[in-house]
Amino acid sequence: MSALAECTVTDSPSRPQSQPLRITHVVSSLKVGGMEQFVLRIAQAQIAAGHRVSVVALQGGPLDKRAASLDVPVHILGGSNPFLRMAKGALLMRSLKPEVVNAHNPTSLHYAILGKRLAGARLVMTDHNASKTARQATPNELRALDQVIPVSSHTGSNLRQPELQGKITVIHNGVELPTLRRSRAEVRAEFGLAGDERLLAIMVGRLHPGKGHLCLLDALSRVRAAGVPLTVLLAGDGQERAAIEARGRELDLGPDRHQILGFRDHVPDLVAASDLFLFPSEDEGLPLSVLEAMAVGCPVIATPVGGIPEVVSHGEDGILTPVNDAERLAAAILDLSGDPDRRRRMGEHARRAAAEDLSFSEMVRKYEALYRRLLATSN
């Protein structure tokens, strides 16, 4: 088996496909972020498929309530003492008796290993661009893994550790086609754009360094200088908020030019009401927010980082611009702002690509097939 392969696994005939699995996902926290929301969504889908699924989080967060609304069982280890947290995790794994433990990035891997040591589970780690996480896996932890699932080929190409040879299978993130709750007109009215021909763009993502928000504001200043009426919504929150607010004041970009929305519960309505989706990040795995924009037919302007070029075809689904290049970003915004027919064609192409090639249900099927193959070869 090659070190990096697309997921083509099939279920073993020795284990009935209808037999429910006991699956535990382990994540560092339930803060609002793409990885954390991915964990809840795949857990919900696996529960709907009849499996016994739980989520173990080292720390809680705003998504606790979201998990409850989805009927996803969540166990928070909590506390600041790592030894007590580890002991609590050990008792929990003995109680849950998972057959498969799916860690998400190395930040939670040392706790996920407890499921293998104490319950005999197969150990999987989904790599959501883990090369950039604060905690790196140790060689012993890598050897304990039965499989690593990078969310893009680019992410997988960074996994060169000898302990992972023959253990890497790429499964692209998938996206669900959302049910919209509000019309475009209703959303635009919320932001004072009812009956206004002003263009609306949105960026969805945590307000963290490296996400490109400051570059976006610099580009927006250029767009204003060109005389194009455009309002940009920034959906998300985080440690960079103060710096973004300061840059907005420095550039004299008022609420008619950009608005920081904080965390919003139902983002697809906002994206579907927008004319452009902007994502000038400096580094990514395969961001779910980009896939969600494609799913609602919103043309994307993004940077060619991580797995984004694997799903966004330049000139077809949107435009890819260089990292930290406000001038090129502004040029792309101006280009599409003046061409509504091109925006419509790009949006339609993006929607088809999301429905045909980036299906969430197909992604869930691939995860289950991988789990079953590992269990068929278990000790």
Side-chain angles (χ1 to χ4, degrees), residues 324-336:
N324 285 326
D325 193 330
E327 184 174 353
R328 293 281 292 277
L329 176 57
I333 293 172
L334 291 170
D335 184 22
L336 289 187

Side-chain angles (χ1 to χ4, degrees), residues 102-119:
N102 196 151
H104 294 268
N105 281 353
T107 48
S108 61
L109 183 56
H110 45 317
Y111 291 88
I113 284 177
L114 294 172
K116 181 167 187 172
R117 303 295 189 216
L118 301 175

Side-chain angles (χ1 to χ4, degrees), residues 237-250:
D237 216 332
Q239 66 190 69
E240 191 81 344
R241 180 164 186 153
I244 295 168
E245 291 174 336
R247 179 65 65 85
R249 290 192 296 269
E250 179 184 337

Side-chain angles (χ1 to χ4, degrees), residues 330-372:
I333 293 172
L334 291 170
D335 184 22
L336 289 187
S337 294
D339 195 339
D341 288 339
R342 191 178 180 205
R343 292 200 306 270
R344 177 184 52 77
R345 290 194 301 271
M346 283 184 169
E348 290 174 352
H349 192 280
R351 186 186 291 109
R352 286 196 302 271
E356 296 171 5
D357 304 324
L358 300 167
S359 161
F360 187 82
S361 60
E362 178 63 10
M363 180 205 74
V364 174
R365 186 201 67 78
K366 289 179 177 180
Y367 267 82
E368 180 175 336
L370 178 58
Y371 293 165
R372 291 188 183 278

Side-chain angles (χ1 to χ4, degrees), residues 193 198-202 229-233 255-259:
L193 301 177
R198 189 178 190 86
L199 290 165
L200 184 65
I202 187 168
L230 173 70
T231 299
V232 177
L233 306 177
D256 63 320
R257 289 291 169 176
H258 84 293
Q259 299 180 34

Side-chain angles (χ1 to χ4, degrees), residues 126-286:
T126 300
D127 187 334
H128 303 264
N129 202 30
S131 59
K132 299 298 180 181
T133 61
R135 182 185 187 277
Q136 297 297 306
T138 67
N140 283 338
E141 290 171 343
L142 295 178
R143 279 189 287 269
L145 283 166
D146 295 297
Q147 195 78 187
V148 179
I149 306 175
V151 298
S152 70
S153 296
H154 178 272
T155 300
S157 68
N158 293 324
L159 300 174
R160 303 186 181 93
Q161 299 94 324
E163 296 87 356
L164 297 180
Q165 289 297 310
K167 297 181 179 180
I168 302 173
T169 303
V170 176
I171 302 180
H172 283 103
N173 284 340
V175 62
E176 298 168 292
L177 299 182
T179 300
L180 301 179
R181 300 176 183 175
R182 295 190 293 165
S183 68
R184 173 183 169 91
E186 289 173 323
V187 172
R188 290 176 66 86
E190 177 186 347
F191 300 103
L193 301 177
D196 194 336
E197 295 305 315
R198 189 178 190 86
L199 290 165
L200 184 65
I202 187 168
M203 178 177 177
V204 179
R206 291 180 298 169
L207 307 186
H208 278 214
K211 289 294 185 179
H213 291 92
L214 300 183
C215 177
L216 174 55
L217 293 185
D218 290 343
L220 186 55
S221 179
R222 289 172 165 82
V223 170
R224 179 185 60 185
V228 173
L230 173 70
T231 299
V232 177
L233 306 177
L234 303 179
D237 216 332
Q239 66 190 69
E240 191 81 344
R241 180 164 186 153
I244 295 168
E245 291 174 336
R247 179 65 65 85
R249 290 192 296 269
E250 179 184 337
L251 296 173
D252 195 25
L253 297 173
D256 63 320
R257 289 291 169 176
H258 84 293
Q259 299 180 34
I260 300 177
L261 306 183
F263 171 68
R264 295 295 290 254
D265 187 46
H266 197 68
V267 172
D269 288 348
L270 303 180
V271 180
S274 301
D275 301 292
L276 295 170
F277 184 87
L278 309 176
F279 202 80
S281 184
E282 297 174 18
D283 185 74
E284 291 293 328
L286 184 56

